[in-house]
Amino acid sequence: MIQLFRSRVYPLIFIFFLLILTAHLGMTWEKPWKDSEVSYSLKREDGHYVLKATLRVNSDPGCLIQVVFSSYHMQKLMAKDADRIEILHETPGYYELRSVHHNKLCRLDTVYSRRLSETDGRIAFELIRCTQESKVAPKLVSSKGYYEIKPDSKGAILSYYEKTRLEAKRWDPRAMALVKIVARDTVLFLKKIKKYSETSACRHAPKK
């Protein structure tokens, strides 16, 4: 998720380079990428940033759904990336996830709702509260999306979708610089889910 803003220090020259690359942010555009594990694209349209990603996971689809939704597994997966993780208002098929992330650019304290629909193989999430401290990064206004798990001949296909809005002017290059950083970290998190499922959580679950 874009709320997974990792605790890293980014050199100023890197940030400056990103700002130069994003000179025309008012236009509608889409940039696809593909590596050995994940196909993904980052799109800006109508003031929103849309991240889409897809990867194959060699795990049982039912087990993978539980890994992606379970508060227990999420806390394990996020433990090294967040300064604080807290589970709120947990009920069957629903809970709220609070996470705090901090680096030299921004301190972000967010609460996301997470809702499971097993019949659709989908875990929906939405930002319900955000406290942000930064003199550089644009304010996070809204964010929602989902994970979707579908059966595949080798296990499952994990798809990710997120639509985010930042409080930034039409031509503000800071927004895309921040979104690119967080999108990259989201893709890394999806790879972490894949590895965790295949080598640990779902290793002994039979593939259906």
Side-chain angles (χ1 to χ4, degrees), residues 24 34 70 87 98 107 111 182 189 198:
H24 299 290
K34 187 173 184 178
S70 163
I87 303 300
R98 181 192 177 200
R107 182 184 185 277
V111 177
V182 181
F189 185 72
E198 292 178 347

Side-chain angles (χ1 to χ4, degrees), residues 2 4 33 35 55 62 82 123 146 156 158 163 179:
I2 286 181
L4 300 174
W33 290 273
D35 64 19
L55 68 162
I123 297 96
Y146 58 83
L158 172 60
K163 187 175 184 179
V179 166

Side-chain angles (χ1 to χ4, degrees), residues 118-171:
E118 284 195 86
T119 55
D120 298 327
R122 183 173 288 194
I123 297 96
F125 60 85
E126 184 170 3
L127 178 69
I128 57 178
R129 190 172 78 231
C130 177
T131 302
Q132 183 173 335
E133 298 174 9
S134 176
K135 294 182 179 180
V136 178
K139 183 179 178 181
L140 177 61
V141 176
S142 65
S143 175
K144 63 180 179 180
Y146 58 83
Y147 298 82
E148 188 173 70
I149 293 94
K150 296 293 185 184
D152 177 70
S153 60
K154 295 184 179 180
I157 298 295
L158 172 60
S159 299
Y160 179 89
Y161 173 90
E162 182 173 12
K163 187 175 184 179
T164 300
R165 179 181 287 275
L166 300 176
E167 189 178 80
K169 295 180 180 179
R170 183 179 178 87
W171 299 101

Side-chain angles (χ1 to χ4, degrees), residues 3-207:
Q3 68 266 31
L4 300 174
F5 190 31
R6 298 160 69 90
S7 299
R8 293 178 176 175
V9 177
Y10 298 96
L12 291 178
I13 188 64
F14 176 64
I15 300 301
F16 178 75
F17 179 70
L18 285 176
L19 298 183
I20 295 298
L21 288 179
T22 54
H24 299 290
L25 297 184
M27 299 174 64
T28 297
W29 56 267
E30 182 167 11
K31 176 66 175 177
W33 290 273
K34 187 173 184 178
D35 64 19
S36 60
E37 295 180 303
V38 186
S39 296
Y40 60 103
S41 66
L42 182 61
K43 181 177 182 179
R44 185 183 192 277
E45 187 173 19
D46 298 327
H48 289 87
Y49 296 90
V50 178
L51 176 63
K52 298 178 183 179
T54 303
L55 68 162
R56 175 176 282 110
V57 182
N58 297 324
S59 299
D60 171 66
C63 181
L64 182 58
I65 289 172
Q66 293 304 316
V67 167
V68 175
F69 176 71
S70 163
S71 60
Y72 168 78
H73 290 302
M74 278 296 106
Q75 288 181 92
K76 290 191 69 173
L77 286 162
M78 294 176 64
K80 293 183 179 180
D81 299 327
D83 296 295
R84 180 176 179 180
I85 305 168
E86 186 177 358
I87 303 300
L88 309 171
H89 310 300
E90 187 166 15
T91 61
Y94 177 89
Y95 64 89
E96 294 170 7
L97 174 64
R98 181 192 177 200
S99 62
V100 180
H101 306 265
H102 179 263
N103 62 25
K104 287 191 174 181
L105 291 179
C106 180
R107 182 184 185 277
L108 197 61
D109 183 342
T110 60
V111 177
Y112 277 78
S113 65
R114 306 187 90 239
R115 192 179 304 274
L116 171 65
S117 175
E118 284 195 86
T119 55
D120 298 327
R122 183 173 288 194
I123 297 96
F125 60 85
E126 184 170 3
L127 178 69
I128 57 178
R129 190 172 78 231
C130 177
T131 302
Q132 183 173 335
E133 298 174 9
S134 176
K135 294 182 179 180
V136 178
K139 183 179 178 181
L140 177 61
V141 176
S142 65
S143 175
K144 63 180 179 180
Y146 58 83
Y147 298 82
E148 188 173 70
I149 293 94
K150 296 293 185 184
D152 177 70
S153 60
K154 295 184 179 180
I157 298 295
L158 172 60
S159 299
Y160 179 89
Y161 173 90
E162 182 173 12
K163 187 175 184 179
T164 300
R165 179 181 287 275
L166 300 176
E167 189 178 80
K169 295 180 180 179
R170 183 179 178 87
W171 299 101
D172 189 346
R174 301 172 304 158
M176 181 44 49
L178 178 63
V179 166
K180 280 187 175 182
I181 291 171
V182 181
R184 181 196 62 185
D185 284 343
T186 300
V187 170
L188 290 175
F189 185 72
L190 293 173
K191 291 183 178 183
K192 182 184 286 190
I193 290 175
K194 173 181 169 70
K195 182 178 180 180
Y196 176 74
S197 299
E198 292 178 347
T199 63
S200 180
C202 299
R203 184 161 58 95
H204 298 298
K207 299 181 181 66

